[in-house]
């Protein structure tokens, strides 16, 4: 039976869910499942029967009116733990309907692969299993981003040292890989290269929300705050296509209620309090990861994940090497997770960095690593599952 994979990236406020059917074509973007209202699923539950967008809107509506100073605080008051039993039960029901009333289970040809922040792998597997999403495959965020890059049909066929910078909302994961140019989907993660920065790179969505609300006249309903995240995502996409000092005017939710326009640029957002400090910490981890690779300049810096929608992240790393980004960073980790079952045997973790470089040497004979994982994972070592 052909295997299809659901890729899941649970973040602090929203969860990305994508579907890869069969071989997934030539790679690149995959369709996002969403919740029927939004492409990214809001992490919200209101028992007994409201989930995602309807739940978040109802929770915000129940909060009623609030002084302007409190609106920013309420903006994310609807969020729940994406690994909670109720939220994952809602996710299972959403997939059941989306797949044509088929459970996302092996007996139906489906598998779930989920991004797990370091240290949460066991908890994630247990919570997914309890919710009826059995045999979930956990994926390291950096591995997920590497997989997303490996399947990108537009990437140059380059080998060498590659550093993945996977940006979540509450963490950033950095890891170094030696990529084999002769085998396009084969790489080795270098020992002692992975590290995690807690707290995420930026909270620019929160800063933009506060700036918009600060320009609003009275009468903003708290239920409208959920749409602010959508507007911030759109703004970030527009900024990524512009030069550093080009300005974009906020045209998202609540525009008609603002007493003056809000204009932002890549440069101005990079100056938001706390951004420079968090980016400096990430840049330091990237420099250390590059050093593990035995080079001063990697072949590519992969920058993706929902935290990387803001161009400040990529801009802060351009001096360290050529940066690769997909058109939809917010979907990168879920897409990479969906590809991981097919690619994981080609991404190995050697005992030492020297072993990885020896494997890249053309004169060194080595066994070819299969590009596609077997359907049965019983014989796979736990650290590769």
């Amino acid at each position: 039976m052909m295997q299809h994979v659901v890729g899941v990236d649970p973040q602090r406020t929203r969860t990305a869910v994508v579907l890869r059917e069969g071989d997934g074509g030539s790679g690149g973007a995959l369709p996002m499942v969403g919740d029927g209202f939004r492409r990214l699923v809001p992490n919200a539950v209101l028992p007994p029967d409201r989930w995602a967008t309807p739940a978040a809107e109802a929770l915000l509506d129940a909060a009623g009116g609030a002084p302007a100073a409190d609106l920013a605080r309420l903006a994310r008051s609807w969020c729940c733990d994406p690994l909670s039993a109720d939220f994952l039960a809602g996710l299972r029901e959403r997939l059941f309907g989306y797949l044509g009333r088929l459970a996302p289970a092996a007996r139906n040809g489906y598998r779930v692969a989920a991004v797990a922040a370091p240290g949460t792998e066991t908890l994630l597997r247990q919570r997914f299993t309890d919710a009826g999403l059995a045999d979930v495959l956990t994926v390291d965020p950096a591995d997920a981003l590497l997989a997303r890059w490996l399947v990108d049909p537009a990437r140059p066929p380059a080998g060498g040292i590659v550093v993945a910078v996977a940006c979540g909302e509450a963490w950033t994961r950095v890891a170094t890989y030696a990529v084999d140019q002769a085998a396009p989907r084969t790489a080795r993660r270098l020992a002692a290269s992975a590290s995690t920065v807690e707290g995420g790179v930026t909270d620019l969505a929160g800063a933009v929300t506060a700036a918009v609300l600060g320009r609003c006249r009275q009468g903003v309903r708290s239920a409208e705050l959920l749409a602010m995240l959508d507007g911030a995502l759109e703004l970030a996409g527009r900024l990524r296509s512009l030069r550093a000092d080009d300005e974009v005017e906020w045209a998202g939710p609540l525009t008609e209620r603002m007493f003056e326009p809000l204009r932002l640029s890549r440069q101005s957002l990079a100056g938001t309090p706390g951004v420079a400090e968090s980016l400096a910490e990430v840049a330091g981890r990237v420099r250390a990861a590059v050093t593990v690779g035995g080079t001063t300049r990697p072949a590519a810096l992969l920058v993706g994940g929902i935290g990387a929608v803001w161009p400040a992240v990529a801009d802060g790393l351009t001096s360290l090497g050529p940066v690769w980004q997909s058109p939809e960073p917010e979907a990168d980790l879920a897409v990479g997770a969906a590809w991981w079952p097919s690619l994981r045997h080609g991404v190995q973790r050697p005992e030492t960095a020297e072993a990885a470089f020896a494997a890249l040497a053309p004169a060194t004979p080595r066994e070819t690593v299969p590009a596609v994982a077997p359907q049965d994972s019983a014989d796979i070592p736990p650290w590769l599952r």
Side-chain angles (χ1 to χ4, degrees), residues 22-293:
D23 62 9
S26 60
L30 294 175
M32 297 189 76
V33 174
D35 67 349
F37 299 88
R38 287 178 160 84
R39 295 172 68 250
L40 291 175
V41 179
N43 299 340
V45 175
L46 184 60
D49 57 359
R50 296 194 207 184
W51 179 78
T53 292
E57 290 178 342
L59 288 167
L60 281 168
D61 194 49
D70 291 338
L71 286 172
R73 177 183 56 81
L74 286 173
R76 298 182 184 181
S77 62
W78 46 267
C79 294
C80 72
D81 179 0
L83 300 186
S84 67
D86 287 342
F87 182 79
L88 291 177
L91 175 60
R92 184 188 182 282
E93 288 305 306
R94 169 60 180 161
L95 291 172
F96 179 76
Y98 188 87
L99 300 176
R101 303 192 64 76
L102 281 176
R107 66 180 182 276
N108 295 322
Y110 290 91
R111 184 165 196 187
V112 177
V115 175
T120 68
E121 297 88 348
T122 300
L123 175 65
L124 187 148
R125 281 193 293 268
Q126 184 61 57
R127 294 285 181 84
F128 271 64
T129 299
D130 291 346
L133 298 166
D135 195 30
V136 64
L137 175 68
T138 58
V139 187
D140 184 283
D143 288 342
L145 183 57
L146 176 78
R148 173 65 184 90
W149 177 72
L150 288 174
V151 299
D152 183 3
R155 77 174 179 90
I161 297 302
V162 170
V163 178
V165 185
C167 305
E169 288 185 298
W171 43 256
T172 298
R173 182 73 164 160
V174 179
T176 308
Y177 301 84
V179 178
D180 190 344
Q181 184 173 353
R185 291 184 177 177
T186 299
R188 295 175 184 267
R189 191 160 99 181
L190 305 193
S193 73
S195 65
T196 305
V197 178
E198 299 295 341
V201 177
T202 62
D203 186 23
L204 287 175
V208 170
T209 297
V212 171
L213 293 174
R215 288 167 169 77
C216 280
R217 302 185 186 282
Q218 295 297 319
V220 175
R221 292 175 56 248
S222 56
E224 297 176 86
L225 296 176
L226 182 62
M228 296 296 296
L229 289 176
D230 303 328
L233 198 65
E234 181 182 346
L235 174 71
R238 294 168 65 195
L239 286 170
R240 288 199 307 273
S241 66
L242 300 176
R243 296 173 301 181
D245 57 351
D246 286 344
E247 289 189 334
V248 169
E249 185 172 318
W250 174 265
L254 307 180
T255 302
E256 72 285 354
R257 302 189 189 182
M258 297 167 65
F259 56 77
E260 66 176 353
L262 174 64
R263 296 185 179 90
L264 297 165
S265 67
R266 298 167 72 128
Q267 201 169 58
S268 65
L269 279 173
T272 301
V275 171
E277 293 82 358
S278 60
L279 288 176
E281 183 176 2
V282 171
R285 300 295 182 94
V286 171
R287 288 190 191 94
V290 171
T291 301
V292 170

